[in-house]
Amino acid sequence: MARPRKFDEGRAVDAAMEAFWAAGYEATSTQDLCDATGLGRSSIYNTFKSKHDLFERALARYMESRNGELFELLESELPARQKLRTVLQRVIDHEFAKDADGRGCLVVNACVEVAAHDPSVAASLERDYGLRLEAVRAAIESGQRDGDIPRDKDARTLAHLLITTVAGLRVSARAGVDRAALEGVADAALSAF
C-alpha cells in the first residue's frame, strides 16, 4: 500500500517555479529542486515523474498567475488605451523596482532557453500566447467600439505588437537598457494605437 503524501503539492510547484525562474531550466538541478521544495528525490520523482514534468507544471502555474493579473486589468473599466499603457508601465515598473531581482519573466525566459528544442514546452507557450493575444485583441476591439482606438487599425496586429513590446521591454531591461529608453519604447509602441 502506497504511503499518503505528506506535503502540499501546490507549494512544491511554487517552490520549484521559483528555482527554475531564478536559475533557468538547464541550470536547475534535481538537488536544487530538492532544496527548494524540501522534498527528497523519490518524492519529487514519484509525484512529478521528472524534472521536465515539474518544470511544465511550474511554468503553467506562472502563466496562470500572470495571465490572471493581465486579464483582470484588460477586463477593468479603464479606457482601452489606458489599459494598454498600464500593461507596458507595469512591465517597466517591475523591471526597475527597488526589489527587482533580475529574473525577468519566466515565460520569456522559457521561450529563449527551452522552446526551441522542446516541442511540449513550445506548445504550452504557444497556447499561452494565444490566450493573451485574444484577451488583448478583445480589449483593443472594445476600445475601437468606444472610439478610444482608431477603427482603421487591425486589432489582432496591434495585440501582437503589444505582446511583442512587453517581451522586448523585459529582454532589453535585462540587457541593461535604462528606464528612460524603455519608457520611450512604450510611448512609441502606443503611438501605433
Side-chain angles (χ1 to χ4, degrees), residues 38-58:
L39 301 174
R41 287 176 188 268
S42 63
S43 292
I44 287 178
Y45 287 114
N46 288 336
T47 304
F48 302 108
K49 300 181 185 80
S50 67
K51 172 184 166 180
H52 187 269
D53 179 56
L54 182 51
F55 177 73
E56 287 190 305
R57 294 205 28 206

Side-chain angles (χ1 to χ4, degrees), residues 70-140:
L70 174 65
F71 298 162
E72 183 178 334
L73 170 62
L74 294 176
E75 294 168 3
S76 73
E77 296 300 317
L78 293 172
R81 186 175 295 277
Q82 189 175 347
K83 291 176 189 179
L84 303 177
R85 177 64 194 179
T86 300
V87 168
L88 297 176
Q89 194 61 52
R90 282 182 179 177
V91 170
I92 294 167
D93 290 346
H94 178 264
E95 295 297 333
F96 290 95
K98 288 182 182 178
D99 62 347
D101 52 21
R103 295 185 298 178
C105 171
L106 186 57
V107 168
V108 173
N109 297 349
C111 286
V112 172
E113 179 191 6
V114 183
H117 59 275
D118 188 322
S120 178
V121 169
S124 178
L125 291 166
E126 184 178 351
R127 280 190 302 277
D128 176 66
Y129 186 98
L131 290 172
R132 288 181 287 126
L133 179 71
E134 290 310 308
V136 173
R137 182 196 52 76
I140 291 168

Side-chain angles (χ1 to χ4, degrees), residues 133-181:
L133 179 71
E134 290 310 308
V136 173
R137 182 196 52 76
I140 291 168
E141 287 178 347
S142 175
Q144 289 175 319
R145 287 189 297 276
D146 295 343
D148 193 33
I149 295 173
R151 292 177 188 227
D152 65 337
K153 310 272 182 153
D154 181 68
R156 188 173 179 84
T157 299
L158 292 176
H160 280 295
L161 174 62
L162 185 83
I163 292 169
T164 302
T165 302
V166 165
L169 290 171
R170 291 190 184 284
V171 171
S172 296
R174 290 187 75 185
V177 176
D178 66 28
R179 184 182 191 105

